[in-house]
Amino acid sequence: MTTLVDGLNRLLRSVPPWALYLVLALPAPWYLYQGATGGLGVEPIKALEHALGEFALQLAIVGLAVTPLRRLAGVNLIKFRRAIGIMTFTYVFLHLLVWLVLDVQILSQIWADILKRPYITVGMAGFVLMIPLVATSNNWSVRKLGPRWRRLHRLTYPAVVLGGVHYVMLVKGFQIEPLIYLGVILGLLALRVRSLPRLRPA
């Protein structure tokens, strides 16, 4: 097992982070092509929204799994964490853009939906939390903020939880898939909490 993990880590070290950006960018034009050619069914806009949002949530889960994978399995994906985070935000933004431009289209209706529909309110709250994260996902911000950078990036946790809750709330009727996503998110967060150093009693 150790030999397998070591071999995997050597392979990962040989892959430049920019290659992951290219790979993760591929689904977006494919989804757009599918929507334009009828491959997304009778409601292509809704299907496109769903595909972009679900892929964003999957990437967010991968981002949460980076640290547990290193601690529990020895697989080191740390060098790719920034790329995963930035591409997660990119797909959340595309998901939001499709909703704004292709679905709702009317500015007053957009604001009304945010205020009146709880699942949209929750989704927008998660998106807002992601803005400072992506804005500081660069070496300059890490140097400038120092220890505060790590504290700021703990916003990742509530942002991903809100994304999972948003998915559960938007589906009609009881569906197991959104609950699985939310369960995986909560499980990964529980692993992270358990790994935090405990405060010593005074």
Side-chain angles (χ1 to χ4, degrees):
M1 182 65 179
T2 303
T3 304
L4 179 62
V5 171
D6 290 342
L8 178 58
N9 284 333
R10 282 196 298 271
L11 176 63
L12 291 172
R13 284 195 294 270
S14 68
V15 178
W18 59 261
L20 187 61
Y21 285 102
L22 293 179
V23 171
L24 294 181
L26 293 177
W30 171 248
Y31 293 147
L32 291 173
Y33 171 78
Q34 288 285 91
T37 58
L40 294 180
V42 295
E43 292 187 319
I45 293 175
K46 290 292 185 184
L48 181 60
E49 279 182 46
H50 175 81
L52 292 169
E54 186 171 26
F55 190 63
L57 193 58
Q58 291 167 355
L59 287 179
I61 289 172
V62 172
L64 280 184
V66 168
T67 298
L69 274 174
R70 184 183 61 171
R71 289 174 176 166
L72 300 178
V75 178
N76 193 347
L77 298 172
I78 296 296
K79 65 184 279 190
F80 301 111
R81 186 158 54 183
R82 180 180 296 178
I84 294 168
I86 290 174
M87 294 308 294
T88 298
F89 177 84
T90 300
Y91 277 91
V92 171
F93 180 73
L94 290 174
H95 170 71
L96 177 62
L97 198 62
V98 170
W99 177 67
L100 292 174
V101 177
L102 299 180
D103 191 352
V104 182
Q105 298 182 345
I106 304 171
L107 185 60
S108 59
Q109 184 63 42
I110 291 169
W111 184 244
D113 282 353
I114 293 172
L115 294 178
K116 294 180 180 179
R117 299 187 180 185
Y119 74 90
I120 296 179
T121 307
V122 169
M124 286 299 297
F127 173 73
V128 169
L129 289 181
M130 294 183 73
I131 294 174
L133 299 177
V134 74
T136 56
S137 290
N138 52 74
N139 293 334
W140 182 85
S141 294
V142 174
R143 292 193 301 270
K144 191 72 174 177
L145 294 174
R148 291 174 295 171
W149 186 90
R150 190 175 297 274
R151 292 196 295 270
L152 173 65
H153 277 249
R154 289 175 184 166
L155 288 176
T156 301
Y157 310 148
V160 178
V161 171
L162 288 171
V165 173
H166 169 72
Y167 190 14
V168 171
M169 293 175 70
L170 70 84
V171 298
K172 296 179 180 179
F174 178 81
Q175 294 189 30
I176 192 67
E177 184 180 9
L179 295 174
I180 291 174
Y181 278 107
L182 183 58
V184 171
I185 290 167
L186 295 177
L188 287 171
L189 288 177
L191 286 175
R192 297 183 73 97
V193 169
R194 287 180 60 186
S195 66
L196 292 175
R198 296 182 180 180
L199 294 176
R200 296 181 179 179

